[in-house]
Amino acid sequence: MLRASEACERGGFPTSSLVCEGFLGQAAATSVGLGMPNLPVALIPGHPGAQSVEELRANVRNVTAAQVIENLLKQPTEHRLEPEPGARDIVFRGTFEEVNAHFYEREWSDGLPIVPPTAEKIEEFLSFTDRAPDECLGILLPENRAATIWAVAANGVMAGCRPEYMPILVALIEAMADPTYGVEHSGNTPGSDTLIVLNGPIIKDLKFNYTQGVLREGFIANTSVGRFWRLALRNMAGFLPHKNDKATFGNTFRVVLAENEDALAKIGWPPNSVDMGFSAGDNTVTISRMTGGGVMPSVTGSTPEQMLPYLADGVAKQTGWEMVFTVGGLSFGTLRPVLVLSPILAETIARAGWSKHDVKRYLYEHARTPAWRVEAFTEKWLDFRIGSLERQVNLGRLPTVFHESNDPNRLVPIVLDPEDFVVLVSGDPLRTNAYSFAQNGYLGFPVAKRIRLPQDWAARVNKPGR
């Protein structure tokens, strides 16, 4: 909304952006990022979603309307932005504790101790990439900041990463800058957070955990790279709590999920990198924003037919309001639910001759939810009014499987196509547990990037003392 207002203002047309009370701070921060800190806004008291029509009308009549008129008729007060330090400027000198206090006060840290990003440490990170420090990987919303190699290195240092992780960090920022991912939605109110999936020989090169304890902190590579992502969102994209980050509750950062490619090779299933369009053996990162997740412990059975009903039930139950990304508005078919299988589960399924595609087909046919529940989300419980499933099918927006009868208890898929499911293999090789993530649709759509290694990678990684 504010981006549209900014374009109009630059074109000489006065604007007034309507902003709910809880988003005034975000509007101010976004305006700064747009380079126009004086964009006029008009307050809507409270939240329209919790007001009756009469209350909303009264608020607009008594508060909002007058501000809109004033904004359109009065030249806004000019505000000048404070200059920012240059990439190589020394911003502070002091002890470890003093540096951390300084960074925290300026909202450059996440509240945990950071490693002071000295020029020497940054240069060490830069030695693990052949790319120029000033190279721009993209412009990151909402603050329209140039994501440079230097900035990647600085935030990598702060997160506690090792210098040799630098190629992964660069690929992550390339993914963050990809418009398909939609980094601008990272501060939306459901508080979703990103899952990073790692593939390729680099998993073993850099000692990422891909067995017992996956998604648990305690391994430098998995943990520090996950933390880097949140610091990059803060310092490079500009997402700050109480400002551009409006998560109502929020998730903490997720450590990196590295796939168990040994287990995948053993059963003949492709790794996630191949599903994302790369070749087996490529080093890749995949990012996707998840609204939440849940474990399915103690999956019992010696055949797919015995095991998969439990898994399908867990996947279906994990997905609720996210169905709007399957059946609604401009987001038809953008939901990508994730199922993580422990290796022993994947091996048991594959032993029966099932492929990964067979698992996805089973989930499509059995991970379903009642039609009345979908329509309740889209017509009653949420402020996404998109029409009945029958109407969407009649308009040709949804396949007929979503309205094969008028029975409100009929079961419908949670995605449009079997390949919309993401199936990963990782975790304790000898535990029969699975995990399901609900995904945030196009507001964090899956994006994968190849990790570009510098020349003489093996020699650099295996250098004595590393």
Side-chain angles (χ1 to χ4, degrees):
M1 176 191 67
L2 288 172
R3 287 192 287 274
S5 296
E6 180 249 354
C8 291
E9 292 282 351
R10 292 193 188 281
F13 298 94
T15 66
S16 182
S17 299
L18 308 187
V19 179
C20 295
E21 188 172 350
F23 286 84
L24 286 175
Q26 184 180 26
T30 301
S31 297
V32 170
L34 293 170
M36 297 188 72
N38 58 342
L39 278 176
V41 299
L43 170 67
I44 299 178
H47 192 297
Q51 297 172 3
S52 67
V53 173
E54 291 74 19
E55 290 171 328
L56 180 58
R57 284 175 175 167
N59 283 332
V60 171
R61 181 172 56 249
N62 297 330
V63 178
T64 312
Q67 293 182 15
V68 170
I69 293 171
E70 181 179 10
N71 289 340
L72 295 177
L73 297 179
K74 183 180 177 182
Q75 181 69 21
T77 303
E78 184 176 358
H79 296 286
R80 294 187 179 276
L81 298 176
E82 292 294 327
E84 293 189 344
R88 292 169 174 78
D89 289 352
I90 304 298
V91 297
F92 188 78
R93 297 181 188 274
T95 65
F96 178 85
E97 291 77 12
E98 290 169 341
V99 168
N100 269 276
H102 181 84
F103 274 56
Y104 181 71
E105 290 167 1
R106 282 152 184 78
E107 300 182 296
W108 296 340
S109 80
D110 53 10
L112 295 173
I114 56 99
V115 177
T118 63
E120 293 76 16
K121 288 187 180 295
I122 293 173
E123 290 291 348
E124 191 175 0
F125 274 64
L126 294 176
S127 72
F128 278 87
T129 178
D130 294 331
R131 305 172 77 164
D134 294 329
E135 179 184 345
C136 178
L137 302 173
I139 303 299
L140 300 178
L141 296 171
E143 291 210 341
N144 287 300
R145 292 184 180 275
T148 65
I149 296 292
W150 179 276
V152 172
N155 282 274
V157 172
M158 292 169 61
C161 295
R162 293 178 61 85
E164 55 264 37
Y165 305 164
M166 185 64 179
I168 298 175
L169 308 185
V170 171
L172 283 173
I173 298 305
E174 288 179 318
M176 182 187 286
D178 190 319
T180 303
Y181 174 72
V183 66
E184 64 269 26
H185 305 297
S186 298
N188 64 345
T189 58
S192 309
D193 219 323
T194 299
L195 176 68
I196 299 169
V197 179
L198 184 64
N199 285 102
I202 201 167
I203 293 172
K204 292 184 177 180
D205 288 348
L206 300 183
K207 298 179 174 58
F208 278 81
N209 179 41
Y210 58 92
T211 59
Q212 191 273 317
V214 158
L215 293 177
R216 175 82 81 199
E217 75 285 344
F219 302 88
I220 292 177
N222 306 65
T223 306
S224 64
V225 173
R227 187 190 183 194
F228 162 82
W229 178 265
R230 286 302 317 179
L231 284 177
L233 283 176
R234 168 184 291 269
N235 294 325
M236 298 173 68
F239 285 102
L240 299 173
H242 298 185
K243 294 179 181 177
N244 277 331
D245 184 351
K246 294 298 295 182
T248 304
F249 303 109
N251 288 269
T252 188
F253 70 83
R254 294 190 172 95
V255 306
V256 172
L257 190 154
E259 273 213 285
N260 189 329
E261 298 205 359
D262 291 340
L264 287 163
K266 178 180 177 182
I267 64 177
W269 284 10
N272 181 68
S273 53
V274 172
D275 295 341
M276 295 300 293
F278 296 92
S279 299
D282 285 346
N283 292 310
T284 66
V285 290
T286 303
I287 59 171
S288 182
R289 292 184 71 218
M290 306 300 170
T291 60
V295 67
M296 289 165 274
S298 302
V299 180
T300 302
S302 60
T303 68
E305 291 82 2
Q306 292 171 330
M307 300 162 64
L308 280 164
Y310 178 19
L311 299 175
D313 177 75
V315 172
K317 286 183 177 178
Q318 195 64 43
T319 300
W321 67 269
E322 296 88 354
M323 280 290 299
V324 300
F325 297 117
T326 297
V327 302
L330 300 175
S331 59
F332 287 105
T334 59
L335 188 63
R336 297 293 183 270
V338 174
L339 174 63
V340 186
L341 298 171
S342 66
I344 197 170
L345 294 182
E347 290 168 11
T348 304
I349 294 169
R351 191 166 57 238
W354 284 46
S355 66
K356 188 191 289 189
H357 175 75
D358 293 330
V359 175
K360 294 181 179 183
R361 169 58 65 177
Y362 186 96
L363 293 176
Y364 178 77
E365 294 174 350
H366 296 87
R368 297 195 172 191
T369 193
W372 69 261
R373 185 168 178 260
V374 178
E375 293 190 334
F377 279 120
T378 58
E379 291 298 303
K380 299 177 182 178
W381 296 342
L382 304 174
D383 53 1
F384 296 96
R385 300 295 184 262
I386 61 177
S388 67
L389 294 178
E390 179 181 12
R391 178 174 180 273
Q392 301 287 15
V393 170
N394 290 338
L395 290 173
R397 295 172 177 170
L398 291 176
T400 56
V401 67
F402 283 88
H403 189 260
E404 295 179 325
S405 75
N406 290 317
D407 180 3
N409 292 312
R410 71 187 187 279
L411 298 178
V412 298
I414 61 174
V415 295
L416 293 193
D417 186 273
E419 291 302 315
D420 290 346
F421 288 103
V422 177
V423 177
L424 307 172
V425 176
S426 193
D428 193 323
L430 295 176
R431 291 294 176 267
T432 57
N433 296 337
Y435 202 95
S436 178
F437 285 102
Q439 196 262 338
N440 207 38
Y442 72 96
L443 307 180
F445 196 73
V447 166
K449 297 294 180 182
R450 188 191 310 274
I451 300 168
R452 294 167 54 182
L453 301 179
Q455 294 182 356
D456 302 324
W457 167 252
R460 299 191 200 195
V461 171
N462 297 319
K463 183 179 179 180
R466 296 228 65 83

